[in-house]
Amino acid sequence: MQHELSYDRYNTRHDRIYRVLQTFRSVEKGQKITAPAPEDYQVWGCAPVGPALAADFPQVKEMVQFMSPVSLLLEYGDKRLQQENLICIDSTAFKVFSWKLLQGNPQTALVAPNSIVLTQKIAEKFFGHTNAVGKTLRVNNGDHFTVTGVVADVPANSQIAFNGLISMSTARKWREDVFSAWGYVDFYTYFVLKDHADIAAMQAAVPAFLKRHNMEDPGYTIAFEKIDDAYLHSKASRQPGPVGSMSNIYLFCCIGIIILIIACVNFMNLSTARSLERAKEVGVRKVLGVQPSALRWQFLFESILISMIAATLAVALTNLSLPVVSALSGKDFAPKVFFSGQLAAWMVILTLATGVLAGAYPAWFLSRFQPIAVLKGVFKPSNSNISLRKALVIFQFTLSITLIAGTAIVYTELKFLNNHDLGFTKDQMLVLNFEGDDQVQQNLESIKKSLADQPGVVSVAASRAVPGEFLPNAGTDIQGPDGQMTNKIPLIYEIDFDFISCLKIPLAAGRNFSRAFITDSTQAIVINEAAAKLYGYRHPADAIGKKFSQWGRQGTIIGVVKNFNFRSLHTEVEPLTLRYGMPGSLNRIEVAIKAEHVAATITALEKTWKSVAPQRPFLYYFLDQSFNKQYEADQHFGYLFSLFSCLAILIACLGLFGLATFTAQQRVKEIGIRKVLGASVYNIVVLISKDFMRLVLIAIVIAIPLCILIMNQWLKDFAYRITISPGIFIITAIIALLIALLTISWQTIKAALANPVESIKNE
């Protein structure tokens, strides 16, 4: 929880850093536009808004913009690496964000064109531990960048992560025109608010600001969001990095509290169950004049002392288990960072609270014993005491069963995600990443043919991106059912002639791109069913032949593909247009390979690649693996949920085992007499077990609706989700009963097999 809640708080001025959220909505002429919902905003926006804000609002102290990450081939000497996650950023970066520059001058490091600041990890790959400033890297077999700084690796709890920073003046050399285009989207804008400045006043002035700068687009507006809210509370799309889940934090917090409560319940249960053993001690102390309040403090102190010993052991165990928890959660928990002063303070508070919670009732209960009754031997536990113990058993097993069922639902949903028909083929699909290399693009068709000629290759295609990767939006006019051109902003895929057939994306109407039609590369698009619906077509076939205009290209719709999940199943299929991507716009080659001899096929492809594109390293990945990375956070959630569930169940079973042991000891003479009178081992086992099993059954009845309520909330995060079936709860009930039965069976069978002579010889 501490790690998740601390995102971006490493920035010294995090409480005054804001980012600009932007909306790009289609508005018809004369249409009244409503205020955008939080979900309508995106963090990814246009460039001109940043300088305009800095110029118009005196409240802005510093402003910084950066672009979407790029991947570049970096070369120094004999070291040649395709480096991902490099971002072009303004020279004010170190004034806004608290990134520590280890080498170089923060004032000038990102000023000159072709300047690059590397992270410490990447700098050491190229230059070892020597000073990197002033050294030159060859980029994409052409340009040369000068290393102007080395920055400490970005903290793990940062939404903005990178391997290197490139000066924004370099990006201006590449494409100067986009910096003045209000409709071009590829920038993230952040700013620092001056001391005592009012962000609400800035937001109120936005309408006037937009009238001055962007009057032609009524669908465009902006809002401001605090960086502290970016990771956990933002509903905006197109985030610059990962986002967390506040509901998951609440859930794990609840699970942690549940585990503590179950442990406290065990302590209360066993303390009150063992009351007979301490009754004479209490009686003697009271006769000797000890006040009830002193007894209460004694028993409470015993509980707190046990809690303190447990906390000491817990810290040691936590230190040992951090690598395991890191692997399960996908987070990097370093002990020196994890054990902070803040956490130590919380540990002390938690330890004392746990001790008090666990010991308060037993202390009150034990201190109320009447000394005369106890010393005469006529003391017996009251019915209320027994009822309380039963209620506590029901309570802890209700929580444990809820967690068992919750674990089953989590894994059923994750299995559903993995097995869901996405509408395209991702298995045995090798993706070659050439990152828009000029020579590859110029010879793309011949390279594809060379790859397709290799044994084990089924088909080859090319595209700008593959499912699961980033896609841009494109303002697109399409002729509607009324014959009028309607402007919307669907997503866009740039592909070649073979992409749809290679990935086996089925058509709902019309045809695929074809080399037989010369105009398909310049005057045709294919849309998906969601896009057809967006433009008003109930039946996909009705959209065929309709006119379109998109990014300087006009023509007709030639086909409609069925909806396929090109993004995570967390979201519904969005409207999508697919158009032929001219050389210069493609980055990936998809190779469908046979399941047999995969290693040999990859070896043959690598050999071919080195001959047709020697200037590029052979970089590949499998589409199914990259696509499934979208569910890594869900997988880690499932691992942790299972771990904590098992822990809670184990603690509940320990309490049940102790209670069963005590019960068997209390009834040892009764069991002996029953055996003498002819009761079988089976009769004795059933006699002792049935009361506990009845309590577990009551817990099952209570746990089922509780689990449905909680897990339905969790499932809301998925557009495609399972329906919670009764079968999950039937299996859960059986598992819970078996766990309870196995827990108490050792003691019940042991008691049933005991020699009755030993238990009743003193009567």
Side-chain angles (χ1 to χ4, degrees), residues 107-120:
Q107 305 297 323
T108 60
L110 292 168
V111 174
N114 288 18
S115 297
I116 186 169
V117 174
L118 300 174
T119 60
Q120 185 177 14

Side-chain angles (χ1 to χ4, degrees), residues 193-219:
L193 205 64
K194 287 182 179 177
D195 291 336
H196 311 299
D198 185 6
I199 194 67
M202 277 187 67
Q203 187 65 58
V206 162
F209 167 81
L210 294 176
K211 282 184 180 180
R212 288 193 299 273
H213 294 280
N214 195 25
M215 293 178 62
E216 297 179 359
D217 188 359

Side-chain angles (χ1 to χ4, degrees), residues 612-630:
V612 297
Q615 79 283 0
R616 295 290 308 177
F618 181 70
L619 302 173
Y620 73 90
Y621 55 87
F622 284 97
L623 181 55
D624 57 344
Q625 294 174 348
S626 67
F627 191 86
N628 290 340
K629 282 184 179 179
Q630 298 176 104

